[in-house]
Amino acid sequence: MSSLQQAIDRRRAESSPDSQLCHVAEGQLAALCVITSADERWLFPWPQLVYAQFAGGSGRETLQLTFASHVVTITGRQLTALCELIARNQLALVRPAPAKFAKAAEDRPFIEALHVALAEARGVASAE
């Protein structure tokens, strides 16, 4: 990708309504909204969060949120910033971002894929 195209993508990302491609943070919240596709959104009440697990390595990171009935798996880069928001119940929304914006995200969290599964079956919905 040319440096001009990278600059254009970065400008578009910065001028988006919430300038964060993959997540939205707010004050203390009651629930997390997970957008897996244009047609599908999930709402998970923060009081039902059982635990969160972060794993990093080889440039790709995974953040797994286990709620009472479902598991949300987030794959991407710079996800440790999301861990801090989760600890304070301040993560309002997560969604995968188009790959063309990966370079524009630089040192901000970038979500490549989201997967939502039943806590036991682990195979309900995916946005990869």
Side-chain angles (χ1 to χ4, degrees):
M1 180 183 297
S2 73
S3 60
L4 176 60
Q5 185 62 47
Q6 288 174 348
I8 291 169
D9 289 345
R10 188 174 302 116
R11 176 63 65 127
R12 283 183 186 150
E14 290 170 355
S15 66
S16 71
D18 54 347
S19 82
Q20 298 292 337
L21 293 170
C22 306
H23 76 286
V24 174
E26 294 180 11
Q28 283 220 304
L29 301 165
L32 170 66
C33 178
V34 177
I35 300 175
T36 55
S37 71
D39 300 328
E40 188 170 63
R41 293 174 185 243
W42 300 74
L43 294 172
F44 295 101
W46 280 120
Q48 291 187 9
L49 179 68
V50 178
Y51 66 91
Q53 179 186 12
F54 171 82
S58 67
R60 198 162 193 205
E61 301 170 344
T62 302
L63 180 57
Q64 190 171 62
L65 307 175
T66 301
F67 290 90
S69 61
H70 289 76
V71 176
V72 177
T73 303
I74 303 168
T75 305
R77 296 183 323 229
Q78 305 295 332
L79 300 180
T80 54
L82 300 183
C83 293
E84 296 169 21
L85 296 172
I86 291 165
R88 296 188 307 260
N89 291 358
Q90 292 180 328
L91 187 60
L93 178 143
V94 291
R95 62 181 166 230
K100 68 181 182 179
F101 292 118
K103 295 210 186 288
E106 293 178 3
D107 61 346
R108 292 178 289 170
F110 185 79
I111 298 173
E112 297 169 1
L114 283 171
H115 182 78
V116 176
L118 287 172
E120 293 179 19
R122 298 185 188 235
V124 174
S126 165
E128 295 185 35

